[in-house]
Amino acid sequence: AQSVSQHNHHVILSEAASLELGCNYSYGGTVNLFWYVQYPGQHLQLLLKYFSGDPLVKGIKGFEAEFIKSKFSFNLRKPSVQWSDTAEYFCAVNAPMDTGRRALTFGSGTRLQVQP
Amino acid sequence: GAGVSQTPSNKVTEKGKYVELRCDPISGHTALYWYRQSLGQGPEFLIYFQGTGAADDSGLPNDRFFAVRPEGSVSTLKIQRTERGDSAVYLCASSSIPGQGPNEQFFGPGTRLTVL
């Protein structure tokens, strides 16, 4: 079974600071990796996804993530955060090619608070 | 519709009662997922439909939980003899299925269930 760890539960940054949110997963096979964001009062939205190819993935709103297979990691980064990035961020994984299961396994989330 | 819709947005019920939660997926999406999100946690998978059939119900916590999707579009999650521990936000997601490749799951706004 897969599991996802997000070690940073609550991060507080000032505007223009750089962001890196950690995500580690436990499955050793072929995985698809996702970062979802939930802005206050809104539903989950996809930021970016990785399934193959270039391990550096670029998403919306200036976010990017790097898949490092040897470290089982998929950390989310943004060089300069804005107040509007205040939200909860969830890392998720599935492995349908290996397991046939399409269900996503989510981490517990990281709450990002950006101070103006 | 343009996105996944869920009704009701909020449901308050008493312990022991029966509840139904409805999900209307994005038009044309053949896959539909139910997740449950408790406070401070990431979403947890409950059940996945491919068309009308439940392809994976391994996340249903017990036999009080049941879901249907009789025409391959709208789905209803049914909870019998509700317990206070069932209180959570119930999320629905849908996706298209391009073979066994990765699929983006589009989430609805959720139904907040409170069992008193």
Side-chain angles (χ1 to χ4, degrees), chain A residues 36 43 46 97 101-102 104 107, chain B residues 35 48 56 58 101 103 105:
Chain A
Y36 280 85
H43 57 273
L46 185 71
M97 300 291 285
R101 296 190 69 236
R102 309 193 75 86
L104 292 171
Chain B
Y35 293 83
Y48 152 56
D56 182 355
S58 61
N103 60 296
Q105 295 181 25

Side-chain angles (χ1 to χ4, degrees), chain B residues 66-78:
Chain B
F66 189 69
V68 295
R69 196 185 184 201
E71 297 177 357
S73 178
V74 170
S75 176
T76 304
L77 178 67
K78 309 180 180 194

Side-chain angles (χ1 to χ4, degrees), chain A residues 32 34 36 38 42-46 49-51 88 90 94 96-97 100-109, chain B residues 33 35 37 40-45 48 56 58 91 96-109:
Chain A
N32 300 323
F34 306 81
Y36 280 85
Q38 189 166 27
Q42 297 188 25
H43 57 273
L44 281 166
Q45 301 170 42
L46 185 71
K49 61 187 176 186
Y50 170 82
F51 50 94
E88 187 136 22
F90 294 93
N94 68 1
M97 300 291 285
R101 296 190 69 236
R102 309 193 75 86
L104 292 171
T105 300
F106 283 84
S108 57
Chain B
Y33 308 78
Y35 293 83
Q37 186 174 17
Q41 300 296 319
E44 292 179 306
F45 169 72
Y48 152 56
D56 182 355
S58 61
L91 298 170
S96 57
I97 295 290
Q100 289 296 317
N103 60 296
E104 176 182 350
Q105 295 181 25
F106 294 84
F107 282 82

